[in-house]
Amino acid sequence: MTLLLRRQGDSGSACFALLRRKAGSVHYTFLDILFPVALFLVVIAALMSGYHVAFSLAGVSLAFAFLGALTGHFDLPLLGALPARLFGIMNNDTLIAIPLFVLMGVLLEKSRIAEELLETMALLFGGLRGGLAIAICLVGALLAASTGIVGATVVAMGLISLPAMLRYRYQPELAAGIVAASGTLGQIIPPSIVLIILGDQISSAYQQAQLSMGNYSARTVTVGDLFLGSLAPGILLVIFYILFVGWKAWRHPESAPAVPLAERQAVEPGELRQKIIHALAPPLLLILGVLGSIIAGVATATEAASVGVMGAIALSAVRRQMDLSRLRSSLEGALRITAMVFMILIGASLFSLVFRGFEGDLMVETALSALPGGRWAALATVMLVIFLMGFFLDFFEIVFIVIPIAGPILLAMGFDPIWLGVLVALNLQTSFLTPPFGFALFYLRGVAPPELKTVHIYRGVVPFIGLQLIALLITVVAPSLATWLPRLIYGE
């Protein structure tokens, strides 16, 4: 059995679980149940303490593995599967896209594309009540489709747009809410680091689910599938945000006034057209090159990421925002983010291995299957857990903890993997906005003017969290919103 685990990694764990299930090991003692439950709770507590995520996951898991071995509840030879898992992570072609997309986002951040987009869109929509907020929402969508890095987008828009909205007497809550919500669109609109990681985890979970059901020739789920599936829900969110701003400006005109006429007339119509073309052309061409190549089927997500990096370097050079010093700092920044992601992935891999060694996955499966309401009750429970964890944990931690445990179980119940992945992505987006530990709130608080209080930020994001939950429910009721485009492009 140990040899099987070493050769097959995650699939070996699935086979091991299947053999244990077939052997009839379904009668658990109190300690059998206590170990996986305590492991999960202690890991969450360690993460909430602020200690490094990767070391929290790995350290707590190892401690429980040795404690379980001492009490006879864990087989230490199972840890022999860890080298194969780590080799699989480092040899995963899909994950190569992560450092490339991160580098692309860092390069675009230094090319000052966000500043120019915001200034131009503000001139274009400033004459409308709420026009500045609408401009910020559109810029957030464009930056999301160009960079995929949430933190950089929130910081950039917070530095530029928040002082302007407050100067024009926008309601502080509305100003903070639209900046934070628009900045998180990079999580659901591809290319997105979140979608790459989630796609890899969903793909692994889907393979495990198929193996557990005896299907050894199942189709795979790619990151490109998840990119295509998330496009329509992401656009739906943008529409919701704009409609909310329009409704707010109509019901409470004083909360979102128009930009004064004198400031709008300072730019001639011909100059405005030139500004619009100069600001919109580069990100649109980059989006066409990256997403267009994926949708057309001429490039994988990893190949498209390399196209994006070259495009970002060319764009920075044309704008004279690139030299050797900035290129070096961009590479160092991308290296730090990539190292963090892979360290977390390694720690999470050890956690899932130990959790399975305690048969925690079988216990979760038994609990979800026993819920009244069948598979829909199981889905609702997992979505609720993800939503609640978003109050305290980052999306990396949630993906790496929940998906390896619950993903195979839900997919074995017959749910579509692309649809499930999009649902999780929409749900995870709330982790950036939900107080008190939403990362977008921290980013925004760090760059907000002193007159914008923390309570304004917390109140401001509440309506947008509600809009995200509505989009989530619509996607649940209408799965084709997430599945029609992948089926149209790939004919599945």
Side-chain angles (χ1 to χ4, degrees):
M1 182 59 65
T2 301
L3 179 60
L4 176 65
L5 286 170
R6 285 176 177 168
R7 288 180 177 174
Q8 297 189 10
D10 284 336
S11 63
S13 297
C15 292
F16 177 73
L18 183 62
L19 288 176
R20 293 292 295 270
R21 186 185 295 112
K22 288 182 176 179
S25 178
V26 294
H27 301 291
Y28 300 112
T29 66
F30 174 76
L31 283 179
D32 290 333
I33 299 174
L34 178 63
F35 270 106
V37 172
L39 170 61
F40 183 82
L41 294 178
V42 172
V43 162
I44 298 299
L47 294 175
M48 291 176 59
S49 71
Y51 195 67
H52 193 283
V53 176
F55 300 136
S56 296
L57 288 168
V60 172
S61 300
L62 280 176
F64 268 81
F66 289 122
L67 182 60
L70 290 176
T71 61
H73 290 82
F74 185 86
D75 296 326
L76 279 181
L78 289 177
L79 295 179
L82 185 61
R85 285 183 169 221
L86 300 187
F87 181 78
I89 292 172
M90 296 299 114
N91 202 36
N92 190 328
D93 292 337
T94 301
L95 297 180
I96 297 175
I98 293 178
L100 293 174
F101 275 124
V102 170
L103 178 58
M104 183 183 77
V106 174
L107 289 169
L108 289 175
E109 179 189 359
K110 295 183 181 298
S111 68
R112 304 181 66 84
I113 189 173
E115 290 89 333
E116 189 171 357
L117 273 173
L118 281 167
E119 293 170 0
T120 305
M121 287 296 186
L123 290 173
L124 186 61
F125 292 97
L128 302 173
R129 284 188 305 194
L132 190 55
I134 293 174
I136 290 170
C137 185
L138 293 174
V139 169
L142 286 172
L143 291 177
S146 303
T147 65
I149 299 180
V150 172
T153 305
V154 173
V155 169
M157 294 200 298
L159 285 170
I160 301 166
S161 59
L162 264 182
M165 283 194 288
L166 295 176
R167 186 172 67 250
Y168 295 131
R169 299 187 181 280
Y170 264 68
Q171 183 187 50
E173 289 84 354
L174 178 61
I178 193 65
V179 170
S182 299
T184 61
L185 289 171
Q187 184 156 310
I188 188 64
I189 296 179
S192 164
I193 306 301
V194 178
L195 292 177
I196 295 173
I197 295 172
L198 184 58
D200 178 70
Q201 295 294 308
I202 287 289
S203 177
S204 176
Y206 187 55
Q207 292 177 9
Q208 292 179 41
Q210 295 300 300
L211 286 172
S212 67
M213 295 185 295
N215 183 2
Y216 299 99
S217 59
R219 71 178 180 89
T220 58
V221 179
T222 66
V223 173
D225 292 327
L226 212 54
F227 276 9
L228 294 176
S230 64
L231 267 178
I235 294 173
L236 181 65
L237 269 181
V238 175
I239 294 173
F240 279 178
Y241 292 172
I242 293 175
L243 290 177
F244 173 75
V245 169
W247 174 84
K248 185 78 172 178
W250 173 67
R251 288 295 303 271
H252 306 282
E254 72 283 355
S255 67
V259 176
L261 181 62
E263 295 190 24
R264 302 199 308 271
Q265 290 180 337
V267 179
E268 297 294 330
E271 184 183 354
L272 178 58
R273 284 193 296 270
Q274 185 177 1
K275 279 179 170 290
I276 292 172
I277 294 173
H278 189 264
L280 286 179
L284 290 178
L285 287 174
L286 197 61
I287 293 168
L288 181 63
V290 176
L291 293 184
S293 60
I294 296 174
I295 293 174
V298 299
T300 64
T302 303
E303 293 165 345
S306 63
V307 173
V309 169
M310 295 305 299
I313 292 175
L315 176 60
S316 300
V318 169
R319 290 171 174 257
R320 297 180 180 179
Q321 299 291 335
M322 183 56 61
D323 53 29
L324 288 179
S325 175
R326 288 183 178 177
L327 180 60
R328 178 177 179 178
S329 65
S330 298
L331 290 170
E332 290 177 348
L335 179 61
R336 283 194 296 269
I337 297 174
T338 303
M340 176 197 70
V341 172
F342 278 84
M343 280 298 295
I344 294 174
L345 183 53
I346 290 171
S349 181
L350 180 57
F351 166 78
S352 63
L353 178 63
V354 174
F355 190 82
R356 286 196 177 108
F358 284 118
E359 294 192 10
D361 56 332
L362 297 180
M363 296 178 192
V364 172
E365 179 181 359
T366 301
L368 291 177
S369 301
L371 290 173
R375 64 174 189 158
W376 291 103
L379 176 66
T381 301
V382 173
M383 290 293 115
L384 179 61
V385 169
I386 291 175
F387 178 75
L388 294 177
M389 290 177 71
F391 281 77
F392 309 101
L393 302 180
D394 191 9
F395 69 90
F396 285 119
E397 302 151 17
I398 299 173
V399 169
F400 291 143
I401 292 174
V402 176
I403 300 303
I405 296 172
I409 300 169
L410 293 177
L411 293 173
M413 292 178 175
F415 290 116
D416 184 272
I418 299 174
W419 174 72
L420 180 63
V422 172
L423 288 184
V424 173
L426 284 169
N427 201 348
L428 280 172
Q429 190 171 351
T430 62
S431 70
F432 268 100
L433 290 178
T434 45
F437 301 115
F439 276 67
L441 310 183
F442 288 153
Y443 293 138
L444 190 58
R445 177 66 275 172
V447 298
E451 61 267 27
L452 188 71
K453 307 301 181 184
T454 301
V455 66
H456 294 148
I457 298 176
Y458 283 4
R459 288 176 181 170
V461 299
V462 170
F464 295 96
I465 294 173
L467 293 174
Q468 290 181 188
L469 293 177
I470 292 173
L472 177 64
L473 290 175
I474 291 175
T475 309
V476 170
V477 175
S480 58
L481 187 66
T483 58
W484 73 273
L485 189 55
R487 289 174 180 170
L488 177 66
I489 299 300
Y490 298 125
E492 297 178 356

